């Protein structure tokens, strides 16, 4: 399995996703600030992977803390959490992971642990976040594979694969599980301008796994659907509001509208940690606007003339009415999402409507 991110006691090591596919190089972060920088600059990206990185970054920061007293240690912990929270605003997994670390800290402090013991517990919690993510992806894949016909052309957008998680992937976890189950699957990977996660990352990890992969530019999706080359769409998510509206990589909304027009099922695969019941609908989801250079340049090559203004919203919101079903590690939910999601999040059992 792809090593997206690894804990190495005095460092957090991650594959540099800015360099793929031309170079497979690893970045070693030795401080919490370095981890925060890696998240912000998208050395590591994808909602679940961002959450894991933040948890490990916090654990790393506190492990290296020089604080002697619990008061100073607590102040440093808060600062480190704030640093992580300021990296990227849209993926709720980031805030979910920070909350988990805060709970672990509070429990340890409540139990009268020393500074060293608290740091140890934070490390354990970060590793748990990592391992649970891999297990969740596998379970999500198994549920999602039941939606895939024996022979299927699957369109996906951005990268919701092993690289975007601690391993295996969400949308690509569904693809992998279907392939492992003996289904004949071919993937159409949207290029995903401007950061090219589809062309660079999705194609890289699928080809590496020997899965039939065709890259298309984003503006080819409509004609592919019309010509019958797409049986279903499956994408990941950065945040799912209580009503089922889905924030995901810019361009997802357009695909969902196209899928509806062509009568193609549109599935979202995401862990429960991506569901944000505190956000009632998609209009309340903060959308990250990234720097212009991602649009104006590809590598060192400039594409646009000086003087042209540029927009770069990194995500869009797909209204729930376009989402056929949401695949999670606990099962599959369908509309009305107000009730099915609330039930899912509240349950420890497979969701109502799941295909067990
Ligand atoms: O800007 P990115 O690359 O972090 O955006 C990633 C996405 O939009 C993914 O589809 C989403 O995070 C789900 S990853 C399993």
């Amino acid at each position: 399995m792809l090593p997206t991110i690894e804990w190495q006691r005095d460092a957090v090591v991650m594959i540099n996703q800015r360099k793929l596919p031309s170079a497979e190089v690893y970045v070693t972060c030795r401080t919490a600030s370095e981890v925060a920088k890696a998240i912000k600059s998208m050395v590591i990206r994808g909602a679940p992977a961002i959450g894991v990185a933040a948890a490990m970054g916090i654990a790393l920061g506190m492990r290296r803390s020089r604080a002697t007293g619990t008061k100073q240690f607590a102040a440093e912990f808060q600062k480190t959490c704030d640093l992580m929270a300021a990296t990227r605003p849209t993926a709720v997994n980031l805030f979910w992971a920070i909350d988990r670390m805060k709970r672990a800290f509070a429990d340890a402090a409540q139990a009268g642990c020393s500074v060293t013991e608290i740091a140890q517990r934070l490390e354990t919690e970060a590793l748990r976040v990592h391992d649970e993510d891999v297990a969740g992806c596998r379970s999500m894949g198994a549920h999602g594979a039941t939606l895939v016909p024996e022979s299927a052309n699957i369109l996906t957008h951005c990268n919701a694969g092993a690289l975007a998680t601690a391993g295996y992937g969400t949308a690509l976890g569904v693809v992998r599980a279907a392939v492992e189950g003996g289904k004949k699957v071919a993937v159409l990977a949207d290029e995903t301008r401007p950061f090219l996660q589809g062309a660079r990352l999705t194609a890289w990890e699928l080809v590496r796994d020997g899965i039939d992969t065709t890259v298309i530019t984003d503006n080819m999706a409509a004609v592919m659907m019309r010509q019958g080359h797409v049986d279903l769409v499956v994408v990941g998510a950065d945040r799912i509001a209580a009503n089922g509206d889905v924030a995901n990589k810019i361009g997802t909304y357009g695909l969902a509208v196209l899928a509806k027009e062509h009568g193609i099922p549109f599935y979202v695969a995401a862990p429960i940690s991506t569901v944000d019941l505190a956000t009632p609908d998609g209009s309340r989801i903060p959308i990250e606007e990234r720097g212009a250079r991602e649009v104006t340049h590809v590598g060192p090559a400039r594409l646009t003339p000086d003087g042209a203004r540029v927009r770069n919203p990194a995500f869009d919101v797909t209204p729930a009415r376009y989402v056929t079903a949401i695949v999670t590690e606990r099962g599959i939910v369908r509309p009305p999402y107000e009730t099915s999601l609330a039930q899912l999040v509240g349950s420890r059992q497979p969701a109502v409507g799941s295909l067990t």
Side-chain angles (χ1 to χ4, degrees):
M1 189 139 69
L2 268 177
T4 310
I5 181 164
E6 233 174 55
W7 174 259
Q8 291 191 350
R9 280 193 92 69
D10 280 321
V12 175
V13 180
M14 45 187 91
I15 192 164
N16 188 344
Q17 300 193 31
R18 296 180 62 89
K19 303 281 186 207
L20 288 171
S22 36
E24 195 178 318
V25 290
Y26 291 81
V27 171
T28 301
C29 300
R30 299 203 180 276
T31 64
S33 304
E34 285 174 12
V35 173
K37 202 170 148 211
I39 296 172
K40 214 175 177 120
S41 63
M42 291 169 73
V43 164
I44 189 161
R45 32 66 50 204
I50 290 171
V52 173
M56 287 187 177
I58 292 167
L60 180 67
M62 299 327 291
R63 194 180 152 71
R64 296 177 71 93
S65 165
R66 298 258 173 272
T68 44
T70 42
K71 213 165 163 194
Q72 192 193 352
F73 192 69
E76 268 183 35
F77 173 74
Q78 186 56 49
K79 241 174 106 180
T80 310
C81 290
D82 293 347
L83 176 75
M84 294 299 159
T87 52
R88 298 190 72 190
T90 305
V92 77
N93 308 62
L94 172 71
F95 306 98
W96 169 88
I98 294 169
D99 281 351
R100 267 188 71 155
M101 298 303 278
K102 284 184 177 170
R103 272 201 303 277
F105 187 102
D107 289 349
Q110 177 105 42
C113 292
S114 68
V115 158
T116 317
E117 286 163 345
I118 298 176
Q120 182 54 50
R121 286 213 194 178
L122 291 172
E123 180 180 329
T124 304
E125 186 66 4
L127 290 175
R128 223 177 259 149
V129 169
H130 176 280
D131 294 352
E132 285 174 16
D133 187 57
V134 180
C137 284
R138 288 214 174 257
S139 164
M140 201 183 306
H143 286 294
T146 63
L147 299 169
V148 178
E150 282 308 313
S151 173
N153 294 315
I154 302 180
L155 177 69
T156 191
H157 191 64
C158 192
N159 172 266
L163 290 166
T165 59
Y168 202 69
T170 59
L172 297 191
V174 172
V175 168
R176 287 195 165 95
V179 170
E180 285 164 15
K183 294 182 176 173
K184 191 173 171 298
V185 174
V187 175
L188 273 180
D190 261 359
E191 177 186 45
T192 317
R193 278 278 294 151
F195 203 68
L196 304 174
Q197 291 94 329
R200 296 189 303 106
L201 309 177
T202 293
W204 183 74
E205 64 169 84
L206 290 181
V207 166
R208 212 169 173 265
D209 274 9
I211 296 173
D212 185 332
T213 306
T214 304
V215 175
I216 58 169
T217 62
D218 300 335
N219 49 4
M220 294 174 189
V223 79
M224 291 295 155
M225 289 186 187
R226 189 167 189 178
Q227 291 176 351
H229 299 309
V230 180
D231 298 306
L232 59 121
V233 179
V234 58
V235 296
D238 286 83
R239 193 184 294 229
I240 301 174
N243 72 340
D245 289 352
V246 174
N248 191 48
K249 182 51 54 192
I250 191 77
T252 304
Y253 170 41
L255 275 184
V257 174
L258 284 172
K260 185 155 202 162
E261 170 66 19
H262 293 89
I264 295 167
F266 182 89
Y267 299 119
V268 173
I272 306 284
S273 52
T274 303
V275 178
D276 178 14
L277 293 184
T279 296
D281 62 65
S283 69
R284 315 285 182 90
I285 298 176
I287 300 294
E288 177 184 12
E289 181 99 21
R290 292 186 61 84
R293 198 185 157 91
E294 287 176 4
V295 176
T296 57
H297 288 70
V298 172
R302 188 173 182 113
L303 304 175
T304 60
D306 275 338
R309 278 195 295 273
V310 166
R311 287 291 313 273
N312 188 13
F315 302 95
D316 60 26
V317 174
T318 298
R321 67 179 177 281
Y322 294 105
V323 179
T324 311
I326 299 174
V327 182
T328 76
E329 68 273 39
R330 285 191 210 154
I332 298 168
V333 289
R334 294 181 184 271
Y337 294 115
E338 283 87 353
T339 46
S340 61
L341 281 175
Q343 225 175 321
L344 178 82
V345 173
S347 76
R348 286 264 133 219
Q349 301 300 319
V352 175
S354 81
L355 304 177
T356 52

